[in-house]
Amino acid sequence: MTRRQVHLNVNILNAGVFGGSWRFPGTDPAASFTLDHYVRIAQRAEEAKFDAIFLADGPAIREDIRYRPFNSLEPTVILAALAAATERVGLIATLSSSYNDPYDVARRFASLDLLSGGRTGWNVVTTAGVDAARNFGFDAEPAHGARYERAAEFVEVVRALWNSWEPDALIGDKATHRFADYTRIHAVDHHGPHFDVAGPLNVPRSPQGEPVVVQAGASKDGRALAARVGEVIFTAAQTADEAGEYYRDVKARAVGYGRRAEDVLILPGLSTVLGSTEAEAAQRRELLAELVPPDYALDRLATQLGVDRDDLTLDGPLPWHLLADPDEAGGSQTFYRIALGLARRENLTVRQLLRRLGGGAGHRIVTGTPEQVADAIIDWVEAGIADGFNLMPDVLPGGFDDFVDGVVPILRERGVFRTDYEATTLRGHLGLPVPTFPGTIAEGAA
């Protein structure tokens, strides 16, 4: 019997997922500001036959720069360099729908997709936080629902622009002096609540039709957007029950939008701490916890919960009387729900919650041997509650090397992960259908 195949991306999250990863022995604190850092990890991901590398992003400096690095280099610039340094691995980056324009985003990703041979994906985010808003001339961040309404229209316009060129519009016929057939290049003439865009795009179609659309959202608005536009959906789930509920709900919503459930891949975040023995892995996890600056962890949690730091008592429970219903919370409802769920389910103090979150990371953390981590991956995929994982190693690049050298061979031995690429595009790696003009879906994958 053929086993379900695991999809794997690696999130190049600066020095690693933990707040103190940059302090880990042998780690270069400034590595995430160098191109070599990203090239090294991307080339290792390609060597290991990962589906893609992923770059998170936020368009504002954060106060926790006092304590740790964060992804602050413009991601499509990095992707351009990685496209030249790799041949097959997918290249996914985050760009905000709140503080960009559809034409610019469509052009950037179409250019990257064409030049990389069809390997890019766009992670659509509805940026939260007043600091980002002020960088773009706003006094406050837009309301949660308004951000998602704008995002839905934003993606609609971007996809229309990507599909403004028919596949055979670029002719290049020297004999007839015809470079492009302008009758096969179409204006989009979009007029909506948020955007008026004429089009067409000035970039031809890529080998995979259009970049893969990636999304993540745990709120009601987020799930609706993910199901409507997401082809790959990142999520944060701490337990199998949470993962299963999200998986079933979003897939059902996608079907409700007239889509096929198998055309939506759900990849929970997975933080890994590896050791050759359980004791060694536990020791590494303890060191990582000690390296997280307490002030950073406390400030981050307070921000995520929308309370003052003084409202948090380290050895006491969360201030439940001050916490809003998750559906009414501002900022990122995803990590708000994670923190509250963990604290309530395990009856944690603030100090215990900070350690469970890895200093505020928020995603599921699996600590153990390569065999145990492989088991954790296979269990969720074969249970039908995940299609793979967005991997967030504890330390970069060393923790990723440990995963590639230790876990990937086990996944291959068990017949759940590829030994070589069978496709050249990101859609091909993911088994996703190729959009055909004018944006409908054809059977098969690139």
Side-chain angles (χ1 to χ4, degrees):
M1 182 180 69
T2 302
R3 304 185 73 175
R4 289 192 71 196
Q5 295 298 292
V6 174
H7 292 288
L8 289 175
N9 298 331
V10 59
N11 185 347
I12 306 181
L13 197 62
N14 51 80
V17 71
F18 289 88
S21 296
W22 64 277
R23 301 176 62 204
F24 197 80
T27 300
D28 177 3
S32 61
F33 295 104
T34 69
L35 180 58
D36 286 348
H37 180 69
Y38 300 94
V39 170
R40 183 191 187 286
I41 296 169
Q43 289 179 338
R44 269 246 83 181
E46 183 165 80
E47 175 191 327
K49 314 307 178 188
F50 269 51
D51 293 89
I53 62 99
F54 167 61
L55 299 176
D57 186 51
I61 196 168
R62 302 200 309 244
E63 288 187 3
D64 59 23
I65 193 71
R66 294 175 293 173
Y67 304 117
R68 68 165 298 177
F70 57 88
N71 287 37
S72 55
L73 299 183
E74 204 287 320
T76 60
V77 172
I78 300 174
L79 284 196
L82 298 185
T86 57
E87 295 180 355
R88 302 290 281 276
V89 71
L91 308 165
I92 302 172
T94 298
L95 277 186
S96 172
S97 61
S98 300
Y99 303 118
N100 283 292
D101 290 315
Y103 193 93
D104 183 47
V105 168
R107 187 184 184 205
R108 272 192 267 178
F109 277 100
S111 300
L112 284 167
D113 211 38
L114 193 66
L115 295 177
S116 67
R119 293 191 284 135
T120 65
W122 168 38
N123 180 41
V124 186
V125 296
T126 60
T127 305
V130 68
D131 290 338
R134 288 172 178 166
N135 284 341
F136 294 90
F138 301 95
D139 293 330
E141 65 178 308
H144 190 272
R147 296 203 308 271
Y148 280 92
E149 289 172 5
R150 175 186 168 96
E153 186 182 346
F154 196 112
V155 176
E156 177 186 348
V157 177
V158 167
R159 292 198 69 226
L161 289 165
W162 285 337
N163 285 285
S164 60
W165 284 64
E166 295 186 36
D168 52 359
L170 184 60
I171 299 172
D173 189 333
K174 295 181 180 180
T176 62
H177 200 179
R178 297 183 71 210
F179 180 73
D181 184 346
Y182 200 66
T183 66
R184 299 175 184 174
I185 304 172
H186 307 277
V188 300
D189 288 329
H190 177 89
H191 306 285
H194 300 279
F195 306 108
D196 284 279
V197 180
L201 196 63
N202 60 351
V203 180
R205 292 176 71 84
S206 85
Q208 66 171 351
E210 61 184 60
V212 174
V213 175
V214 182
Q215 218 281 313
S219 66
K220 292 179 180 177
D221 294 327
R223 291 185 184 211
L225 180 64
R228 179 175 172 181
V229 307
E231 297 174 282
V232 173
I233 299 173
F234 296 154
T235 181
Q238 292 284 338
T239 68
D241 286 344
E242 290 174 350
E245 186 278 326
Y246 186 91
Y247 190 94
R248 291 185 294 271
D249 179 59
V250 173
K251 295 257 186 177
R253 289 172 185 254
V255 171
Y257 281 111
R259 306 177 64 195
R260 301 190 310 173
E262 59 266 35
D263 293 341
V264 178
L265 300 180
I266 297 179
L267 309 183
L270 178 66
S271 304
T272 55
V273 183
L274 284 156
S276 59
T277 64
E278 285 189 59
E280 184 180 298
Q283 185 178 23
R284 182 180 175 100
R285 176 71 177 84
E286 185 65 24
L287 174 58
L288 286 161
E290 292 172 0
L291 292 175
V292 176
D295 286 341
Y296 156 76
L298 203 56
D299 286 345
R300 182 173 173 85
L301 181 61
T303 299
Q304 288 175 337
L305 297 181
V307 299
D308 292 332
R309 176 174 161 167
D310 291 343
D311 293 324
L312 300 176
T313 302
L314 278 174
D315 292 311
L318 289 181
W320 294 103
H321 62 291
L322 299 176
L323 301 179
D325 181 274
D327 289 334
E328 304 300 323
S332 171
Q333 291 189 7
T334 298
F335 293 104
Y336 188 88
R337 292 170 186 273
I338 287 171
L340 265 60
L342 268 175
R344 181 176 287 114
R345 187 167 55 249
E346 300 182 20
N347 194 29
L348 301 176
T349 65
V350 170
R351 189 189 304 276
Q352 291 168 332
L353 177 61
L354 291 174
R355 292 181 74 85
R356 288 284 282 108
L357 291 171
H363 288 275
R364 178 188 178 209
I365 302 171
V366 176
T367 301
T369 64
E371 291 80 6
Q372 290 171 325
V373 172
D375 286 341
I377 289 171
I378 294 170
D379 286 348
W380 278 27
V381 171
E382 295 200 332
I385 58 177
D387 296 306
F389 293 91
N390 200 30
L391 180 69
M392 292 175 286
D394 54 358
V395 178
L396 290 171
F400 184 51
D401 289 334
D402 293 342
F403 187 94
V404 169
D405 294 334
V407 180
V408 169
I410 297 171
L411 297 177
R412 286 179 176 149
E413 288 170 6
R414 299 185 187 179
V416 299
F417 191 66
R418 66 172 67 89
T419 58
D420 201 357
Y421 291 118
E422 296 179 359
T424 59
T425 69
L426 178 55
R427 288 185 178 277
H429 302 336
L430 297 169
L432 291 173
V434 179
T436 60
F437 183 84
T440 56
I441 299 294
E443 296 295 328

